[in-house]
Amino acid sequence: MRIATWNVNSITARLPRLLAWLESSGTDVLCIQETKCGEDAFPFEELRALGYEAAVNADGRWNGVAVISRVGLADVVKGLPGGPDYDGSQEPRAVSATCGPVRVWSVYVPNGREVGHDHYAYKLHWLESLRDAVAVDAAGERPFAVLGDFNVAPTDEDVYDPSVFEGATHVTPAERAALGALRDAGLSDVVPRPLKYDRPYTYWDYRQLCFPKNRGMRIDLVYGNASFAKARQDAYVDREERKGKGASDHAPVVVDLDV
């Protein structure tokens, strides 16, 4: 079984690439972030033509998440149970579903903007609520994983130059402690292998030639429980999909399971 996560940075803009990638990669389940479209504009029909169902949580702005599957889609939950509001409502940043033998969450963790900003406090609260929401599944025997854009680099090894990020979000002790709390709930970081260079970065800014210079970050993560980690056969960053005109600024992270 092949499971992946990908921040597509607008499913409308990336749809031809997404459909081609699904066909070429043989992915069974894909967790998507930053759909940037409402559910009424989501490409259900195009995905259905390839044999995929979709569970979507999106409102048409800059967020939006989905789980698409060709191995079944059941027990869908939209939103983060017990999660915080921002500006008066809960943003569409989480959706979960059971896909065949595996249960997955697709998450798009708040960016945080800058340390001390209300959005930074919201980010930490959101991650705390995520830990509480997944605790039961994380401790269960069924393979389970939380996949998505966490907007946190787990260690200094996960950014190309730690000095560049000093004092900024994505690398603060509080954010990394929140990831540690997820691990304490029974999840482990399924670290992928890079297809090029020595570090499995998943995101490269569009500016300043960051991609060709490999000035990246590993912020798209797969956190799986013991059963998921045991079933893992391979994991890699599909860096090739970050190349070329019209690419997202994130690359897919792919995990192969023996389930």
Side-chain angles (χ1 to χ4, degrees):
M1 186 174 185
R2 175 161 286 180
I3 297 177
T5 183
W6 189 7
N7 179 325
V8 294
N9 190 11
S10 174
I11 196 168
T12 303
R14 236 61 66 188
L15 185 58
R17 292 186 69 130
L18 170 63
L19 297 175
W21 185 81
L22 285 171
E23 287 197 282
S24 65
S25 68
T27 297
D28 298 300
V29 178
L30 175 61
C31 295
I32 296 174
Q33 301 83 45
E34 249 189 305
T35 62
K36 291 185 177 179
C37 73
E39 293 185 34
D40 59 341
F42 194 84
F44 291 101
E45 291 301 322
E46 292 88 341
L47 290 167
R48 192 172 292 119
L50 295 182
Y52 291 91
E53 304 173 84
V56 182
N57 185 16
D59 64 7
R61 295 187 291 174
W62 52 87
N63 300 314
V65 289
V67 175
I68 67 172
S69 170
R70 64 179 184 181
V71 292
L73 196 66
D75 304 321
V76 172
V77 177
K78 296 182 180 182
L80 177 60
D85 290 352
Y86 193 75
D87 285 341
S89 63
Q90 186 176 128
E91 296 177 317
R93 294 182 173 275
V95 62
S96 55
T98 300
C99 305
V102 177
R103 184 157 182 83
V104 299
W105 282 61
S106 177
V107 300
Y108 181 38
V109 176
N111 176 281
R113 299 182 186 172
E114 61 185 38
V115 178
H117 194 284
D118 287 347
H119 207 260
Y120 178 76
Y122 164 61
K123 179 179 190 174
L124 296 178
H125 190 183
W126 201 96
L127 283 165
E128 181 181 357
S129 298
L130 177 64
R131 184 229 185 254
D132 293 341
V134 305
V136 172
D137 280 325
E141 295 184 1
R142 175 175 56 183
F144 169 76
V146 184
L147 308 93
D149 180 354
F150 281 71
N151 272 314
V152 183
T155 72
D156 281 352
E157 290 294 308
D158 296 307
V159 295
Y160 74 92
D161 183 352
S163 68
V164 172
F165 300 91
E166 189 172 345
T169 60
H170 293 55
V171 299
T172 64
E175 291 166 292
R176 289 174 171 173
L179 290 186
L182 269 178
R183 294 192 293 271
D184 290 343
L187 301 176
S188 61
D189 187 354
V190 180
V191 180
R193 58 184 174 87
L195 294 186
K196 186 177 181 180
Y197 301 113
D198 61 341
R199 297 182 184 180
Y201 299 142
T202 64
Y203 164 81
W204 301 259
D205 198 301
Y206 286 128
R207 299 168 294 179
Q208 300 177 335
L209 299 176
C210 282
F211 182 65
K213 293 180 179 179
N214 201 36
R215 295 176 177 173
M217 307 175 71
R218 186 173 75 93
I219 57 175
D220 302 89
L221 310 176
V222 178
Y223 268 43
N225 70 355
S227 295
F228 188 95
K230 184 178 180 180
R232 168 190 173 169
Q233 299 295 298
D234 192 12
Y236 63 92
V237 180
D238 190 352
R239 190 180 186 278
E240 294 298 305
E241 195 53 40
R242 176 59 176 81
K243 293 181 177 179
K245 185 178 180 180
S248 171
D249 45 2
H250 296 251
V253 178
V254 181
V255 182
D256 288 334
L257 301 177
D258 180 12
V259 290

